[in-house]
Amino acid sequence: MSVEPEARTEPRPPSPRLRLRLLPMIIFGSRWLQLPLYLGLIVAQCVYIALFLKELWHLSWHALDFTEQRIMMSVLALIDVVMISNLLVMVIVGGYETFVSRLELQGHPDEPEWLGHVNASVLKIKLAMAIIGISSIALLRTFIEAGNLGSDRAGYTENGVMWQVLIHLTFVVSAIGIAYVDKLGDSGTRKHAE
């Protein structure tokens, strides 16, 4: 009786076009429903470009008439628009890459540095930091106008300023909480991997 070595069957690597059953295919394909949302955010960014150009034109046209405080307020409004636009880019590019499909930008000279290590956790922290930045600009504009509190020229009341500070602090505490929970999740994942 001859003993021939048993033929081993190596597991075949998954094919690049792995076939899914119908329900998983529908569920996985549903991620494409987010595409109109990202395209809508691109339209919103175009609206912010128009707002930026309008504000820049207004500042340029009245530069000699405005006071230093009014010029500073206009510049802060421009910075605010830029920061909101940056937030939109992070959501559009990072969200699409994370939740819909790869952009395949590897090796492209304009590939954003942060895109290589973006995931849902990183995106949440980046968004929280961007929201804090936007809130900080709005709060700075309020503080600049705070000298007018109590007069007819005031755009804010003392109560309104207090609420803006509290809302800003809520954003800061929320961002710290998100970062802390993310850190706990990362350390738990590392311990589990070891």
Side-chain angles (χ1 to χ4, degrees):
M1 177 167 158
S2 71
V3 178
E4 291 184 27
E6 200 174 299
R8 291 187 191 172
T9 56
E10 296 286 326
R12 292 192 310 176
S15 70
R17 304 296 272 167
L18 185 65
R19 293 249 188 250
L20 297 176
R21 291 173 301 165
L22 181 61
L23 184 58
M25 184 176 65
I26 291 170
I27 292 171
F28 185 63
S30 70
R31 71 192 191 284
W32 287 100
L33 292 173
Q34 292 188 24
L35 182 61
L37 305 177
Y38 292 117
L39 294 175
L41 288 178
I42 292 170
V43 172
Q45 189 161 15
C46 293
V47 170
Y48 268 101
I49 290 169
L51 178 64
F52 182 89
L53 293 174
K54 175 185 164 198
E55 188 69 31
L56 184 62
W57 173 258
H58 187 252
L59 173 64
S60 301
W61 189 256
H62 297 286
L64 299 176
D65 304 331
F66 283 169
T67 64
E68 182 182 356
Q69 181 178 353
R70 182 68 181 117
I71 290 172
M72 190 183 323
M73 295 297 284
S74 293
V75 170
L76 287 174
L78 292 173
I79 292 170
D80 197 30
V81 170
V82 169
M83 291 182 76
I84 291 172
S85 183
N86 290 342
L87 176 65
L88 284 169
V89 168
M90 278 192 293
V91 171
I92 294 165
V93 174
Y96 183 88
E97 174 87 10
T98 302
F99 300 110
V100 179
S101 184
R102 298 269 181 231
L103 291 171
E104 298 178 12
L105 296 175
Q106 293 77 14
H108 192 281
D110 293 331
E111 178 186 6
E113 180 183 316
W114 54 269
L115 191 57
H117 55 272
V118 72
N119 59 35
S121 296
V122 170
L123 195 57
K124 279 190 293 189
I125 293 171
K126 285 191 176 296
L127 292 177
M129 296 309 295
I131 290 169
I132 289 171
I134 292 166
S135 175
S136 297
I137 295 295
L139 199 55
L140 180 59
R141 289 172 66 187
T142 301
F143 287 162
I144 290 171
E145 288 189 20
N148 296 329
L149 283 176
S151 72
D152 294 337
R153 296 181 344 189
Y156 305 97
T157 63
E158 290 178 15
N159 203 21
V161 172
M162 179 197 68
W163 277 109
Q164 277 192 339
V165 170
L166 289 174
I167 290 169
H168 179 74
L169 289 174
T170 302
F171 287 149
V172 171
V173 169
S174 296
I176 291 170
I178 289 169
Y180 180 71
V181 167
D182 190 53
K183 182 179 177 182
L184 287 177
D186 283 348
S187 66
T189 303
R190 275 190 231 124
K191 285 180 184 178
H192 187 274
E194 291 171 357

